[in-house]
Amino acid sequence: RKEVEQDPGPFNVPEGATVAFNCTYSNSASQSFFWYRQDCRKEPKLLMSVYSSGNEDGRFTAQLNRASQYISLLIRDSKLSDSATYLCVVNTNTGGFKTIFGAGTRLFVKA
Amino acid sequence: DAEITQSPRHKITETGRQVTLACHQTWNHNNMFWYRQDLGHGLRLIHYSYGVQDTNKGEVSDGYSVSRSNTEDLPLTLESAASSQTSVYFCASSERRDGNEQFFGPGTRLTVL
């Protein structure tokens, strides 16, 4: 089982749709969580951190469920420019620091 | 503006050759990382460094080495390139050791024939 798992998609949605991505992690000692965005043939860039209390940044909402060991990303009112791959990232610090990237979920937003 | 650069952006080499990929950052970050990205695997950590003269092995370090002689640079060397090392390589840096936000370079696409 992978340490961080994501549905690879692709998710094909029309403009204006709401789309949700989930990510599960296996290490209960994981400490911090992030969503990164990666455009085709580009480098990953931080989209948002994920806090226990949940956090929102405009059309994007991230949530963490420690009990079930998953994090989610909700995108409301999808734009064409949201088309990208979304990477779930989990940090642990047990026996040494470790950052684990999920394989990513591909999103296509269509006009 | 601070940035992180990688060179070359594209490289084709032959099996058995030694290859060095450069990474240079002007963020003045102590922490630097090398990843490879392959379809279906996401980014996997090769080596990382927490400061000058410090280097550590990551998840997929076999066949790779790094050195850190200054804050700005962390070159990645493939000692004897293999076809299995064909991949896209990303360098990253972060302010904090726990990698709260990692800033990535544009990547190097390496093909080993």
Side-chain angles (χ1 to χ4, degrees):
Chain A
R1 184 189 170 191
K2 291 182 180 178
E3 291 185 77
V4 175
E5 293 205 69
Q6 295 183 249
D7 182 340
F11 285 55
N12 292 286
V13 303
E15 271 187 297
T18 295
V19 61
F21 305 136
N22 288 328
C23 167
T24 58
Y25 59 94
S26 60
N27 190 334
S28 60
S30 296
Q31 297 178 324
S32 53
F33 310 87
F34 309 89
W35 284 102
Y36 278 69
R37 171 194 168 125
Q38 186 173 24
D39 293 299
C40 190
R41 294 182 175 268
K42 299 283 190 178
E43 71 273 21
K45 292 183 180 178
L46 181 66
L47 178 65
M48 59 198 304
S49 301
V50 187
Y51 304 120
S52 297
S53 55
N55 49 304
E56 189 173 310
D57 183 2
R59 299 181 293 107
F60 298 84
T61 300
Q63 292 193 309
L64 167 65
N65 185 319
R66 283 191 184 272
S68 300
Q69 295 182 204
Y70 80 81
I71 68 174
S72 63
L73 177 67
L74 184 76
I75 305 175
R76 290 181 299 278
D77 189 23
S78 299
K79 312 291 185 191
L80 294 175
S81 57
D82 293 334
S83 297
T85 297
Y86 292 84
L87 308 175
C88 169
V89 182
V90 174
N91 287 344
T92 63
N93 195 7
T94 51
F97 173 73
K98 212 157 100 164
T99 295
I100 305 294
F101 284 77
T105 297
R106 193 80 192 271
L107 172 66
F108 292 101
V109 181
K110 305 167 295 183
Chain B
D1 285 347
E3 61 177 358
I4 180 165
T5 57
Q6 293 182 235
S7 62
R9 295 293 312 279
H10 301 272
K11 173 80 176 176
I12 299 174
T13 191
E14 294 176 343
T15 301
R17 289 190 181 267
Q18 184 181 79
V19 176
T20 296
L21 309 184
C23 174
H24 179 82
Q25 53 99 2
T26 58
W27 290 98
N28 199 33
H29 288 160
N30 284 325
N31 311 300
M32 296 184 72
F33 311 85
W34 271 105
Y35 296 91
R36 61 178 288 175
Q37 187 173 37
D38 305 285
L39 276 174
H41 285 281
L43 286 122
R44 291 182 291 175
L45 184 64
I46 304 171
H47 282 285
Y48 58 101
S49 168
Y50 289 150
V52 177
Q53 303 300 332
D54 176 75
T55 60
N56 306 280
K57 293 182 179 180
E59 177 190 1
V60 290
S61 61
D62 286 349
Y64 303 94
S65 63
V66 292
S67 60
R68 189 88 181 271
S69 58
N70 58 52
T71 300
E72 295 80 17
D73 300 289
L74 186 70
L76 177 71
T77 297
L78 286 69
E79 305 293 346
S80 177
S83 58
S84 60
Q85 294 177 307
T86 293
S87 188
V88 179
Y89 291 85
F90 287 103
C91 178
S93 71
S94 69
E95 182 179 6
R96 281 171 25 190
R97 185 173 288 201
D98 64 3
N100 58 322
E101 177 178 2
Q102 295 191 18
F103 296 88
F104 284 82
T108 294
R109 189 170 293 271
L110 177 67
T111 302
V112 182
L113 300 176

